[in-house]
Amino acid sequence: MSNSPIRPISIMSNNSNYFQSFFDNNLYGIIELDKEGAITKANGVFEEFLNWPVKEILGLSVSQLMHQKDGELFSKKHLQFNSGKVDNYELEVRFRKKSGKMLHTSIAVTPVIEKVRKEKNALVIVRDISRQKSNERKIQKNEEMFR
């Protein structure tokens, strides 16, 4: 994971088309969360990752879609985020697909700053790292065989 700071995304009326294009056409899954961590918006890539129709996950706490331990870690980090103790954060979490299988991901969470609303939403960029995790397990297995 990168140590470079994640910058807040500022949404103003004159650039909402740029934001919508970024949201809809991104290579990564993107979800918007309200202050409590409930999903308010999700792009098609996130929908494809989990095979959950967006309309079925809107309003759910994002941690409900995660492995229990990862959901607990996410909730703790998100509390720090909401209290201002951290401006943004990155985590590796496992999301539960509709089939029940786990999807290894890397998430980056940054605030969405809107001048109209006072509460702070979060934008979550979700990257599928399943192949990377599979390769790491293979390497570890090979190293164990040769010890």
Coordinates of all heavy atoms in Angstrom, one line a residue, residues 11-86:
I11 N -16.5 18.1 -4.4 CA -17.5 18.1 -5.4 C -18.2 19.5 -5.4 O -18.8 19.9 -4.5 CB -18.5 17.0 -5.1 CG1 -17.9 15.7 -5.1 CG2 -19.6 17.0 -6.2 CD1 -18.8 14.6 -4.7
M12 N -18.1 20.2 -6.5 CA -18.7 21.4 -6.7 C -19.6 21.3 -7.9 O -19.4 20.5 -8.8 CB -17.7 22.6 -6.9 CG -16.8 22.7 -5.6 SD -15.6 24.0 -5.8 CE -14.4 23.2 -6.8
S13 N -20.6 22.2 -8.0 CA -21.6 22.1 -9.1 C -21.0 22.2 -10.4 O -21.4 21.6 -11.4 CB -22.7 23.2 -8.9 OG -22.1 24.4 -8.9
N14 N -19.9 23.0 -10.6 CA -19.3 23.1 -11.9 C -18.4 22.0 -12.4 O -18.0 22.0 -13.5 CB -18.5 24.4 -12.0 CG -17.3 24.4 -11.0 OD1 -17.2 23.6 -10.2 ND2 -16.4 25.4 -11.1
N15 N -18.2 21.0 -11.5 CA -17.4 19.8 -12.0 C -18.1 18.5 -11.7 O -17.5 17.4 -11.7 CB -16.0 19.8 -11.4 CG -16.0 19.5 -9.9 OD1 -17.0 19.3 -9.3 ND2 -14.8 19.5 -9.3
S16 N -19.4 18.5 -11.5 CA -20.2 17.3 -11.2 C -20.2 16.3 -12.4 O -20.2 15.1 -12.2 CB -21.6 17.6 -10.8 OG -22.3 18.2 -11.8
N17 N -20.1 16.8 -13.6 CA -20.0 16.0 -14.8 C -18.7 15.2 -14.8 O -18.6 14.0 -15.1 CB -20.1 16.7 -16.1 CG -21.5 17.3 -16.3 OD1 -22.5 16.7 -15.7 ND2 -21.6 18.3 -17.1
Y18 N -17.6 15.8 -14.3 CA -16.3 15.2 -14.2 C -16.4 14.1 -13.2 O -15.9 12.9 -13.4 CB -15.2 16.1 -13.9 CG -14.9 17.1 -14.9 CD1 -15.2 18.5 -14.8 CD2 -14.3 16.7 -16.1 CE1 -14.9 19.4 -15.8 CE2 -14.0 17.7 -17.1 CZ -14.3 19.0 -16.9 OH -14.1 19.9 -17.9
F19 N -17.0 14.4 -12.0 CA -17.1 13.4 -11.0 C -17.9 12.2 -11.5 O -17.5 11.0 -11.3 CB -17.7 14.0 -9.7 CG -18.0 13.0 -8.7 CD1 -16.9 12.5 -7.9 CD2 -19.2 12.4 -8.5 CE1 -17.1 11.6 -6.9 CE2 -19.4 11.5 -7.5 CZ -18.4 11.0 -6.7
Q20 N -19.0 12.5 -12.1 CA -19.9 11.4 -12.6 C -19.2 10.5 -13.6 O -19.3 9.3 -13.6 CB -21.2 11.9 -13.2 CG -22.2 10.9 -13.4 CD -22.7 10.2 -12.0 OE1 -23.0 10.9 -11.1 NE2 -22.7 8.9 -12.0
S21 N -18.4 11.1 -14.5 CA -17.6 10.4 -15.5 C -16.6 9.5 -14.8 O -16.4 8.3 -15.1 CB -17.0 11.3 -16.5 OG -16.2 10.6 -17.4
F22 N -15.9 10.1 -13.8 CA -14.9 9.4 -13.0 C -15.5 8.2 -12.3 O -15.0 7.1 -12.3 CB -14.3 10.3 -11.9 CG -13.4 9.6 -10.9 CD1 -12.1 9.3 -11.2 CD2 -13.9 9.3 -9.7 CE1 -11.3 8.7 -10.3 CE2 -13.1 8.7 -8.7 CZ -11.8 8.4 -9.0
F23 N -16.7 8.4 -11.8 CA -17.4 7.4 -11.0 C -17.9 6.2 -11.9 O -17.6 5.1 -11.7 CB -18.6 8.0 -10.3 CG -19.3 7.1 -9.3 CD1 -18.9 7.1 -8.0 CD2 -20.4 6.3 -9.7 CE1 -19.5 6.3 -7.1 CE2 -21.0 5.5 -8.7 CZ -20.6 5.5 -7.4
D24 N -18.5 6.6 -13.0 CA -19.1 5.6 -13.9 C -18.1 4.9 -14.8 O -18.3 3.7 -15.2 CB -20.1 6.3 -14.9 CG -21.3 6.8 -14.1 OD1 -21.6 6.3 -13.0 OD2 -22.0 7.7 -14.7
N25 N -17.0 5.5 -15.2 CA -16.0 4.9 -16.1 C -14.7 4.5 -15.5 O -13.8 4.2 -16.3 CB -15.8 6.0 -17.3 CG -17.1 6.3 -18.0 OD1 -17.8 5.5 -18.4 ND2 -17.4 7.6 -18.0
N26 N -14.7 4.3 -14.2 CA -13.4 4.0 -13.6 C -13.2 2.5 -13.8 O -14.1 1.7 -13.9 CB -13.5 4.3 -12.1 CG -12.2 4.6 -11.5 OD1 -11.4 3.6 -11.4 ND2 -11.9 5.8 -11.1
L27 N -11.9 2.1 -13.7 CA -11.5 0.7 -13.8 C -11.7 0.0 -12.5 O -11.7 -1.3 -12.4 CB -10.0 0.6 -14.2 CG -9.6 1.1 -15.6 CD1 -8.1 1.1 -15.7 CD2 -10.3 0.3 -16.6
Y28 N -11.8 0.8 -11.4 CA -12.0 0.2 -10.1 C -13.4 0.3 -9.6 O -14.2 1.2 -10.1 CB -11.1 0.9 -9.1 CG -9.6 0.8 -9.4 CD1 -8.8 1.9 -9.7 CD2 -9.0 -0.5 -9.5 CE1 -7.5 1.7 -10.0 CE2 -7.7 -0.6 -9.9 CZ -6.9 0.5 -10.1 OH -5.6 0.4 -10.4
G29 N -13.8 -0.5 -8.6 CA -15.1 -0.3 -8.0 C -15.1 0.9 -7.1 O -14.1 1.3 -6.5
I30 N -16.2 1.6 -7.1 CA -16.3 2.9 -6.3 C -17.6 2.8 -5.6 O -18.7 2.5 -6.2 CB -16.2 4.1 -7.2 CG1 -14.9 4.2 -8.0 CG2 -16.3 5.4 -6.3 CD1 -14.7 5.4 -8.9
I31 N -17.6 3.1 -4.3 CA -18.8 3.2 -3.6 C -18.8 4.5 -2.8 O -17.7 5.0 -2.4 CB -19.1 2.0 -2.6 CG1 -17.9 1.7 -1.8 CG2 -19.5 0.8 -3.4 CD1 -18.1 0.5 -0.8
E32 N -19.9 5.1 -2.6 CA -20.0 6.3 -1.7 C -20.7 5.9 -0.4 O -21.7 5.1 -0.5 CB -20.8 7.4 -2.4 CG -20.8 8.7 -1.5 CD -21.5 9.9 -2.2 OE1 -22.3 9.7 -3.1 OE2 -21.3 11.0 -1.7
L33 N -20.2 6.3 0.7 CA -20.8 5.9 2.0 C -21.3 7.2 2.7 O -20.6 8.2 2.6 CB -19.8 5.2 2.9 CG -19.0 4.0 2.3 CD1 -18.0 3.5 3.3 CD2 -20.0 2.9 1.9
D34 N -22.4 7.0 3.5 CA -22.8 8.1 4.3 C -21.9 8.1 5.6 O -21.1 7.2 5.8 CB -24.3 8.1 4.6 CG -24.8 6.9 5.4 OD1 -23.9 6.2 6.0 OD2 -26.0 6.7 5.5
K35 N -22.2 9.0 6.5 CA -21.4 9.1 7.7 C -21.4 7.8 8.6 O -20.4 7.4 9.2 CB -21.9 10.2 8.6 CG -21.0 10.5 9.8 CD -21.3 11.8 10.5 CE -20.4 12.0 11.6 NZ -19.8 13.3 11.7
E36 N -22.5 7.0 8.5 CA -22.6 5.8 9.3 C -22.0 4.6 8.5 O -21.9 3.5 9.1 CB -24.1 5.5 9.6 CG -24.7 6.4 10.7 CD -25.0 7.7 10.1 OE1 -25.5 7.8 9.0 OE2 -24.8 8.7 10.9
G37 N -21.5 4.8 7.3 CA -20.9 3.7 6.5 C -21.9 3.0 5.7 O -21.5 1.9 5.1
A38 N -23.1 3.5 5.5 CA -24.1 2.9 4.6 C -23.8 3.3 3.2 O -23.4 4.4 2.9 CB -25.5 3.3 5.0
I39 N -24.0 2.3 2.3 CA -23.8 2.6 0.9 C -24.9 3.5 0.3 O -26.1 3.1 0.4 CB -23.7 1.2 0.1 CG1 -22.5 0.4 0.6 CG2 -23.5 1.5 -1.4 CD1 -22.5 -1.0 0.1
T40 N -24.5 4.6 -0.3 CA -25.4 5.5 -0.9 C -25.4 5.5 -2.4 O -26.3 5.9 -3.1 CB -25.2 6.9 -0.4 OG1 -23.9 7.4 -0.7 CG2 -25.5 7.1 1.1
K41 N -24.2 4.9 -2.9 CA -24.0 4.9 -4.4 C -22.9 3.9 -4.7 O -22.0 3.7 -3.9 CB -23.6 6.3 -4.8 CG -23.6 6.5 -6.3 CD -23.3 8.0 -6.6 CE -23.5 8.3 -8.1 NZ -23.2 9.7 -8.4
A42 N -23.0 3.2 -5.8 CA -22.0 2.2 -6.2 C -21.9 2.2 -7.7 O -23.0 2.3 -8.4 CB -22.3 0.8 -5.6
N43 N -20.7 2.0 -8.2 CA -20.6 2.0 -9.7 C -20.8 0.5 -10.2 O -20.8 -0.4 -9.4 CB -19.3 2.7 -10.2 CG -18.1 1.9 -9.9 OD1 -18.1 0.8 -9.3 ND2 -17.0 2.4 -10.4
G44 N -20.8 0.4 -11.5 CA -21.0 -0.9 -12.1 C -19.9 -1.9 -11.9 O -20.1 -3.1 -11.8
V45 N -18.6 -1.4 -11.7 CA -17.5 -2.3 -11.5 C -17.7 -2.9 -10.1 O -17.4 -4.1 -10.0 CB -16.2 -1.5 -11.6 CG1 -15.0 -2.4 -11.2 CG2 -16.0 -1.0 -13.0
F46 N -18.1 -2.1 -9.1 CA -18.3 -2.7 -7.8 C -19.4 -3.8 -7.8 O -19.3 -4.8 -7.2 CB -18.6 -1.6 -6.8 CG -18.7 -2.1 -5.3 CD1 -17.5 -2.4 -4.6 CD2 -19.9 -2.3 -4.7 CE1 -17.6 -2.9 -3.3 CE2 -20.0 -2.8 -3.4 CZ -18.8 -3.1 -2.7
E47 N -20.4 -3.5 -8.6 CA -21.5 -4.4 -8.8 C -21.0 -5.7 -9.4 O -21.4 -6.8 -8.9 CB -22.6 -3.8 -9.6 CG -23.8 -4.6 -9.9 CD -24.9 -3.9 -10.7 OE1 -24.5 -3.2 -11.7 OE2 -26.0 -4.1 -10.4
E48 N -20.2 -5.6 -10.4 CA -19.6 -6.8 -11.0 C -18.7 -7.6 -10.1 O -18.7 -8.8 -10.1 CB -18.8 -6.4 -12.3 CG -19.7 -6.0 -13.4 CD -18.8 -5.5 -14.6 OE1 -17.7 -5.9 -14.8 OE2 -19.4 -4.6 -15.4
F49 N -17.9 -6.8 -9.3 CA -17.0 -7.5 -8.3 C -17.7 -8.5 -7.4 O -17.3 -9.6 -7.2 CB -16.3 -6.5 -7.4 CG -15.1 -5.8 -8.0 CD1 -14.5 -4.7 -7.3 CD2 -14.5 -6.2 -9.2 CE1 -13.4 -4.1 -7.8 CE2 -13.4 -5.5 -9.7 CZ -12.8 -4.5 -9.0
L50 N -18.9 -8.0 -6.9 CA -19.6 -8.8 -5.9 C -20.8 -9.5 -6.5 O -21.4 -10.4 -5.8 CB -20.1 -7.9 -4.8 CG -19.0 -7.1 -4.0 CD1 -19.6 -6.4 -2.8 CD2 -17.8 -8.0 -3.6
N51 N -21.1 -9.2 -7.7 CA -22.3 -9.8 -8.3 C -23.6 -9.5 -7.5 O -24.5 -10.3 -7.5 CB -22.1 -11.3 -8.5 CG -22.9 -11.8 -9.7 OD1 -23.3 -11.0 -10.6 ND2 -23.1 -13.1 -9.8
W52 N -23.6 -8.4 -6.9 CA -24.8 -7.9 -6.2 C -25.3 -6.7 -7.0 O -24.6 -5.7 -7.2 CB -24.5 -7.3 -4.8 CG -24.2 -8.3 -3.7 CD1 -23.0 -8.7 -3.2 CD2 -25.2 -9.0 -2.9 NE1 -23.2 -9.6 -2.2 CE2 -24.5 -9.8 -2.0 CE3 -26.6 -9.0 -2.9 CZ2 -25.2 -10.6 -1.1 CZ3 -27.3 -9.8 -2.0 CH2 -26.6 -10.6 -1.1
P53 N -26.6 -6.7 -7.4 CA -27.2 -5.5 -8.0 C -27.1 -4.3 -7.1 O -27.4 -4.5 -5.9 CB -28.6 -5.9 -8.3 CG -28.6 -7.4 -8.3 CD -27.6 -7.8 -7.3
V54 N -26.8 -3.2 -7.6 CA -26.6 -2.0 -6.7 C -27.9 -1.7 -5.9 O -27.8 -1.4 -4.7 CB -26.2 -0.8 -7.6 CG1 -26.3 0.5 -6.8 CG2 -24.9 -0.9 -8.2
K55 N -29.0 -1.9 -6.5 CA -30.3 -1.6 -5.8 C -30.4 -2.5 -4.6 O -31.1 -2.1 -3.6 CB -31.5 -1.7 -6.7 CG -31.7 -3.1 -7.3 CD -32.8 -3.1 -8.3 CE -32.9 -4.5 -8.9 NZ -33.6 -4.5 -10.1
E56 N -29.8 -3.7 -4.5 CA -29.9 -4.6 -3.4 C -29.0 -4.2 -2.2 O -29.2 -4.6 -1.1 CB -29.7 -6.0 -3.8 CG -30.8 -6.6 -4.7 CD -30.5 -8.0 -5.0 OE1 -29.8 -8.7 -4.3 OE2 -31.1 -8.5 -6.0
I57 N -27.9 -3.4 -2.5 CA -27.0 -3.1 -1.5 C -27.1 -1.7 -1.0 O -26.5 -1.3 0.0 CB -25.5 -3.4 -1.9 CG1 -25.1 -2.6 -3.1 CG2 -25.3 -4.9 -2.2 CD1 -23.6 -2.7 -3.5
L58 N -27.8 -0.8 -1.7 CA -28.0 0.6 -1.2 C -28.6 0.6 0.1 O -29.6 -0.2 0.4 CB -28.9 1.4 -2.2 CG -28.2 1.6 -3.6 CD1 -29.2 2.4 -4.4 CD2 -26.9 2.4 -3.5
G59 N -28.0 1.4 1.0 CA -28.5 1.4 2.4 C -27.9 0.5 3.4 O -28.0 0.6 4.6
L60 N -27.3 -0.6 2.8 CA -26.6 -1.5 3.7 C -25.3 -0.9 4.2 O -24.6 -0.2 3.5 CB -26.2 -2.8 2.9 CG -27.3 -3.8 2.5 CD1 -26.7 -4.9 1.8 CD2 -28.1 -4.2 3.7
S61 N -24.9 -1.3 5.4 CA -23.6 -0.9 5.9 C -22.5 -1.7 5.1 O -22.7 -2.9 4.9 CB -23.4 -1.3 7.4 OG -22.1 -1.1 7.8
V62 N -21.5 -1.0 4.6 CA -20.5 -1.7 3.8 C -19.8 -2.8 4.6 O -19.5 -3.8 4.0 CB -19.5 -0.7 3.2 CG1 -18.6 -0.2 4.2 CG2 -18.7 -1.3 2.1
S63 N -19.7 -2.7 5.9 CA -19.1 -3.7 6.7 C -19.9 -5.0 6.7 O -19.4 -6.1 6.9 CB -18.9 -3.2 8.1 OG -20.1 -2.9 8.7
Q64 N -21.2 -5.0 6.4 CA -22.0 -6.2 6.3 C -21.6 -7.0 5.1 O -21.9 -8.2 5.0 CB -23.5 -5.8 6.1 CG -24.2 -5.2 7.4 CD -25.6 -4.8 7.1 OE1 -25.9 -3.8 6.6 NE2 -26.5 -5.8 7.4
L65 N -21.0 -6.4 4.1 CA -20.6 -7.1 2.9 C -19.2 -7.6 3.0 O -18.6 -8.2 2.1 CB -20.7 -6.2 1.6 CG -22.1 -5.7 1.3 CD1 -22.0 -4.7 0.2 CD2 -23.0 -6.8 1.0
M66 N -18.5 -7.4 4.1 CA -17.2 -7.8 4.3 C -17.1 -9.0 5.2 O -18.0 -9.3 6.0 CB -16.4 -6.7 5.0 CG -16.2 -5.4 4.2 SD -15.3 -4.1 5.1 CE -15.4 -2.8 4.0
H67 N -15.9 -9.7 5.2 CA -15.6 -10.8 6.1 C -15.8 -10.1 7.5 O -15.4 -9.0 7.7 CB -14.2 -11.3 5.9 CG -13.8 -12.4 6.8 ND1 -13.4 -12.2 8.1 CD2 -13.8 -13.7 6.5 CE1 -13.1 -13.4 8.6 NE2 -13.3 -14.3 7.7
Q68 N -16.2 -10.9 8.5 CA -16.5 -10.3 9.8 C -15.3 -9.6 10.4 O -15.5 -8.4 10.9 CB -17.0 -11.4 10.8 CG -17.4 -10.8 12.1 CD -17.9 -11.9 13.1 OE1 -18.1 -13.1 12.7 NE2 -18.0 -11.5 14.3
K69 N -14.1 -10.2 10.4 CA -13.0 -9.5 11.0 C -12.6 -8.2 10.2 O -12.3 -7.2 10.8 CB -11.8 -10.5 11.0 CG -11.9 -11.6 12.0 CD -10.7 -12.4 12.1 CE -10.8 -13.5 13.1 NZ -9.7 -14.4 13.2
D70 N -12.7 -8.3 8.9 CA -12.4 -7.1 8.1 C -13.5 -6.0 8.3 O -13.1 -4.8 8.4 CB -12.4 -7.4 6.6 CG -11.3 -8.4 6.3 OD1 -10.3 -8.6 7.1 OD2 -11.3 -9.0 5.2
G71 N -14.7 -6.4 8.5 CA -15.8 -5.4 8.8 C -15.6 -4.7 10.1 O -15.8 -3.5 10.2
E72 N -15.1 -5.5 11.1 CA -14.8 -4.9 12.4 C -13.6 -3.9 12.3 O -13.7 -2.8 12.8 CB -14.4 -6.0 13.4 CG -15.6 -6.9 13.8 CD -15.3 -8.1 14.6 OE1 -14.0 -8.3 14.9 OE2 -16.2 -8.9 14.8
L73 N -12.6 -4.3 11.6 CA -11.4 -3.4 11.3 C -11.9 -2.1 10.6 O -11.5 -1.0 11.0 CB -10.3 -4.1 10.6 CG -9.1 -3.2 10.2 CD1 -8.4 -2.7 11.5 CD2 -8.1 -4.0 9.4
F74 N -12.7 -2.3 9.5 CA -13.2 -1.2 8.8 C -14.0 -0.2 9.7 O -13.8 1.0 9.6 CB -14.1 -1.7 7.6 CG -14.8 -0.5 6.9 CD1 -14.2 0.2 5.9 CD2 -16.1 -0.2 7.3 CE1 -14.8 1.3 5.3 CE2 -16.7 0.9 6.7 CZ -16.1 1.6 5.7
S75 N -14.9 -0.8 10.5 CA -15.7 0.0 11.4 C -14.9 0.9 12.3 O -15.2 2.0 12.6 CB -16.7 -0.9 12.2 OG -17.6 -1.5 11.3
K76 N -13.8 0.3 12.9 CA -12.9 1.0 13.8 C -12.2 2.2 13.1 O -12.2 3.3 13.5 CB -11.9 0.1 14.4 CG -12.4 -0.8 15.5 CD -11.3 -1.8 16.0 CE -11.9 -2.8 16.9 NZ -10.9 -3.8 17.3
K77 N -11.7 1.9 11.9 CA -11.1 2.9 11.1 C -12.0 4.0 10.7 O -11.7 5.2 10.6 CB -10.4 2.3 9.8 CG -9.0 1.8 10.0 CD -8.1 2.8 10.5 CE -6.8 2.7 9.9 NZ -5.8 3.6 10.5
H78 N -13.3 3.6 10.3 CA -14.2 4.6 9.9 C -14.7 5.5 11.0 O -15.0 6.7 10.8 CB -15.4 3.9 9.2 CG -16.1 4.7 8.2 ND1 -15.5 5.1 7.0 CD2 -17.3 5.3 8.2 CE1 -16.3 5.9 6.3 NE2 -17.4 6.0 7.0
L79 N -14.7 5.0 12.2 CA -15.0 5.8 13.4 C -13.9 6.9 13.5 O -14.2 8.0 13.8 CB -15.1 5.0 14.7 CG -16.4 4.3 14.9 CD1 -16.3 3.4 16.1 CD2 -17.5 5.2 15.1
Q80 N -12.6 6.5 13.4 CA -11.5 7.4 13.4 C -11.6 8.5 12.3 O -11.4 9.6 12.5 CB -10.2 6.7 13.3 CG -9.9 5.8 14.5 CD -8.6 5.0 14.3 OE1 -8.1 4.8 13.1 NE2 -8.0 4.5 15.3
F81 N -12.0 8.0 11.2 CA -12.2 8.9 10.0 C -13.3 9.9 10.3 O -13.1 11.1 10.1 CB -12.6 8.0 8.8 CG -13.0 8.7 7.6 CD1 -12.1 9.3 6.7 CD2 -14.3 8.9 7.2 CE1 -12.4 9.9 5.5 CE2 -14.7 9.5 6.0 CZ -13.7 10.0 5.2
N82 N -14.4 9.5 10.8 CA -15.6 10.4 11.1 C -15.2 11.3 12.3 O -15.7 12.5 12.3 CB -16.8 9.6 11.4 CG -17.5 9.0 10.2 OD1 -17.4 9.6 9.1 ND2 -18.1 7.9 10.4
S83 N -14.4 10.9 13.2 CA -14.1 11.8 14.3 C -12.9 12.8 14.0 O -12.6 13.6 14.8 CB -13.6 10.9 15.5 OG -12.4 10.3 15.3
G84 N -12.3 12.6 12.8 CA -11.3 13.5 12.4 C -9.9 13.0 12.8 O -8.9 13.7 12.6
K85 N -9.8 11.9 13.4 CA -8.5 11.4 13.9 C -7.6 11.0 12.7 O -6.4 11.0 12.7 CB -8.6 10.2 14.8 CG -9.2 10.6 16.2 CD -9.3 9.4 17.1 CE -9.9 9.9 18.4 NZ -10.2 8.8 19.3
V86 N -8.3 10.5 11.6 CA -7.5 10.2 10.3 C -8.3 10.9 9.2 O -9.5 11.0 9.2 CB -7.4 8.7 10.0 CG1 -6.5 8.0 11.1 CG2 -8.7 8.0 9.9

